[in-house]
Amino acid sequence: MTKFSRAFWVANSVELLERLAYYAVFIVITLYLSNVWGFSDIEAGIISGIFSAMLYFLPTFAGAYADKIGFRSSIILAFTLLTVGYGGLGLLPTLLESAGLVSYGMTATFTGLETSYLRWSIAPILVLIVIGGAFIKAVISGTVARETTSENRARGYAIFYMMVNIGAFTGKTVVDPLRRSMGDEGLVYLNFFSASMTLLALIAVFFFYKSVKTEGKGKSFAEIGKALWKVCQNGRLIALILIISGFWMIQSQMYATMPKYVIRMIGEGASPGWYANVNPLVVFVCVNFVTSFMKRRTALTSMTIGMLIIPFSALVMSFGNQIGTDYVMGLHPIAFMMIVGIAMQALAECFISPRFLEYFSLQSPKGEEGLYLGFSHLHSFFSYLFAFGLSGFLLEKYCPDPKAFASQVEYAAATVNAHYIWYVFVGIGMVSAIALVIYGRVVRNLDKKKLNPETE
């Protein structure tokens, strides 16, 4: 530990707190928007899709500004915005309740909020969280880079990803006990927990974080815009980004569809936070083994294996609604098949994610690897933007809110084909896998022609 600076350890510690806060809220973001604010499934999907997509689009721009004002000032700004943002997600509903528009308990009772323009008062609060989160994504990883050397950088990033996964795992475990004990009201108070975590991080940064590195001038937003345009003109990379987006469209259903699906199909005893935790657990256990196993294979080969796994993960998730009601290993069949499907997605991620960054960097022009890697997460921007909106439409059609039905019999009839949701993602996964196979053959032929132009 003495090989790393104090700034390194402070940055990694507050990253753990930030991830804990973020995942506690994000795992139930669509539930929160519907159950607390009265948004429909479609509206909640669109709002959360824009929210999560911008979190992957803005960090490069936030990072440029952080270079100008300094990392310490940027982290303080980020955690201030996050604390106000998460606090607002908890405070605003209580103000709306005081105004007589809603009443919170185990189940929220809406008395005008669902049709009031005040519902949209959540928008500026979400903007604060997006901006704060964008700074964190840029600055914390930047701090790890600046506070390490070529000798200890690999270990430094290993520690960083460990902190990210610990935070993600811990944040999700908080949700289910609070939701079960307090119902919809627990979804409100959950935000105060997240605000307290980011406030604790803010205090730690204020008193303990001081980077010893000299700040650079950074790029202007115009320069970054030109760089983005340059990346968009690289047809090979854009095609790969769009294809890999198919994987992330399915992976993102762990947050977009799964929480509402399991609660509506199983009941309030479902534990979406724990089901989602299977993902970081499997990644943690398997990623090093998979990477070592595939080290002699090309990045495209590894990614193709992952893309062939992902449609079957969605297919497995659909089985839960079709295999009866007998419990499997003490779990409801929907919960059991959901866990198996999430584990398969995590395994696919082990084949795809590390090698995608490797391939992306190799396709970047010499000397511009950093610039191009700054936009390597555009696949998450595209996939989250569309995946959450699609989820809302599918939920409303095949697995609607039970509050809209007079009896359990009516609701059972309305959700008899709830598993059709997962068939849509099976299709997306299959198209993406086939597209990647075709992409691999095309780029190999193009590369051969470049090496042997006389064969044309």
Side-chain angles (χ1 to χ4, degrees):
M1 292 179 65
T2 56
K3 292 181 181 179
F4 297 102
S5 67
R6 185 169 73 173
F8 171 89
W9 288 112
V10 173
N12 277 279
S13 298
V14 298
E15 171 70 5
L16 187 154
L17 293 172
E18 188 275 330
R19 291 289 84 187
L20 197 159
Y22 172 75
Y23 278 104
V25 169
F26 192 59
I27 186 63
V28 287
I29 183 67
T30 56
L31 272 174
Y32 171 79
L33 289 169
S34 294
N35 292 17
V36 174
W37 287 84
F39 288 105
S40 68
D41 287 336
I42 294 174
E43 290 170 333
I46 292 171
I47 294 169
S48 52
I50 295 172
F51 167 76
S52 51
M54 295 310 293
L55 275 171
Y56 285 96
F57 183 73
L58 291 180
T60 302
F61 295 88
Y65 190 66
D67 282 334
K68 291 180 180 295
I69 67 174
F71 277 15
R72 185 175 188 275
S73 297
S74 298
I75 299 180
I76 289 174
L77 172 63
F79 280 118
T80 300
L81 292 174
L82 289 172
T83 302
V84 173
Y86 288 131
L89 292 182
L91 181 61
L92 271 182
T94 63
L95 296 177
L96 295 170
E97 186 175 30
S98 299
L101 293 171
V102 62
S103 176
Y104 296 114
M106 288 300 293
T107 302
T109 302
F110 294 101
T111 50
L113 178 59
E114 69 271 38
T115 57
S116 172
Y117 70 92
L118 289 175
R119 278 194 312 165
W120 298 103
S121 60
I122 192 176
I125 298 299
L126 291 176
V127 169
L128 293 180
I129 296 174
V130 166
I131 296 173
F135 271 104
I136 290 298
K137 281 185 179 294
V139 174
I140 300 297
S141 57
T143 297
V144 174
R146 288 189 176 187
E147 300 294 331
T148 54
T149 64
S150 57
E151 289 78 19
N152 64 8
R153 184 156 295 145
R155 184 167 169 241
Y157 273 105
I159 293 170
F160 167 72
Y161 284 114
M162 181 181 70
M163 293 295 190
V164 169
N165 281 283
I166 292 172
F169 188 94
T170 309
K172 294 171 189 174
T173 62
V174 174
V175 176
D176 291 323
L178 192 60
R179 184 182 55 79
R180 285 204 205 97
S181 61
M182 301 181 69
D184 291 340
E185 192 172 19
L187 297 176
V188 176
Y189 286 105
L190 178 66
N191 296 286
F192 292 126
F193 165 79
S194 291
S196 66
M197 293 298 100
T198 53
L199 178 60
L200 183 61
L202 174 61
I203 293 169
V205 170
F206 186 83
F207 285 105
F208 302 113
Y209 182 91
K210 183 179 180 182
S211 178
V212 298
K213 304 297 181 183
T214 303
E215 305 301 340
K217 291 182 179 180
K219 291 184 173 66
S220 67
F221 290 163
E223 289 173 320
I224 295 175
K226 290 178 182 177
L228 175 59
W229 176 243
K230 192 172 183 179
V231 172
C232 290
Q233 289 178 306
N234 188 320
R236 181 180 292 198
L237 285 183
I238 291 299
L240 180 63
I241 286 170
L242 292 176
I243 292 169
I244 295 298
S245 294
F247 163 75
W248 288 106
M249 282 190 72
I250 300 172
Q251 179 84 313
S252 65
Q253 298 313 308
M254 184 165 53
Y255 306 101
T257 299
M258 186 272 288
K260 283 183 175 178
Y261 182 84
V262 296
I263 290 172
R264 291 174 182 181
M265 297 301 293
I266 299 174
E268 291 299 324
S271 303
W274 279 108
Y275 307 157
N277 266 338
V278 171
N279 179 272
L281 181 62
V282 172
V283 170
F284 179 79
V285 171
C286 296
V287 67
N288 286 331
F289 170 77
V290 170
T291 303
S292 298
F293 180 71
M294 296 300 296
K295 66 182 179 181
R296 297 186 184 278
R297 302 287 183 177
T298 65
L300 271 176
T301 300
S302 182
M303 287 190 287
T304 301
I305 292 173
M307 292 298 284
L308 290 170
I309 293 172
I310 198 66
F312 291 101
S313 73
L315 183 63
V316 165
M317 289 175 174
S318 74
F319 292 159
N321 195 38
Q322 304 173 69
I323 60 175
T325 58
D326 292 337
Y327 275 46
V328 182
M329 297 176 64
L331 292 168
H332 190 284
I334 287 177
F336 179 80
M337 300 313 295
M338 190 63 61
I339 289 171
V340 174
I342 290 172
M344 291 175 68
Q345 288 181 6
L347 184 62
E349 184 178 346
C350 293
F351 282 95
I352 294 171
S353 288
R355 304 305 296 274
F356 172 78
L357 291 175
E358 174 194 336
Y359 186 83
F360 203 94
S361 64
L362 291 174
Q363 300 305 310
S364 306
K366 192 75 172 177
E368 298 184 11
E369 292 86 357
L371 182 152
Y372 273 68
L373 283 171
F375 296 104
S376 62
H377 291 292
L378 281 174
H379 57 68
S380 294
F381 169 74
F382 290 124
S383 59
Y384 277 70
L385 194 61
F386 293 107
F388 276 80
L390 177 60
S391 167
F393 281 98
L394 293 172
L395 282 167
E396 200 156 282
K397 182 173 178 62
Y398 296 112
C399 190
D401 191 335
K403 298 187 188 77
F405 295 84
S407 69
Q408 186 61 38
V409 174
E410 288 181 17
Y411 185 67
T415 57
V416 67
N417 294 320
H419 55 282
Y420 283 9
I421 292 173
W422 304 109
Y423 291 163
V424 173
F425 296 105
V426 171
I428 291 172
M430 290 300 296
V431 169
S432 300
I434 293 169
L436 188 60
V437 171
I438 295 171
Y439 174 89
R441 291 183 177 179
V442 170
V443 297
R444 276 192 291 269
N445 288 335
L446 289 174
D447 289 340
K448 285 179 182 178
K449 287 180 179 180
K450 284 182 181 178
L451 292 172
N452 303 291
E454 68 277 1
T455 61
E456 292 185 28

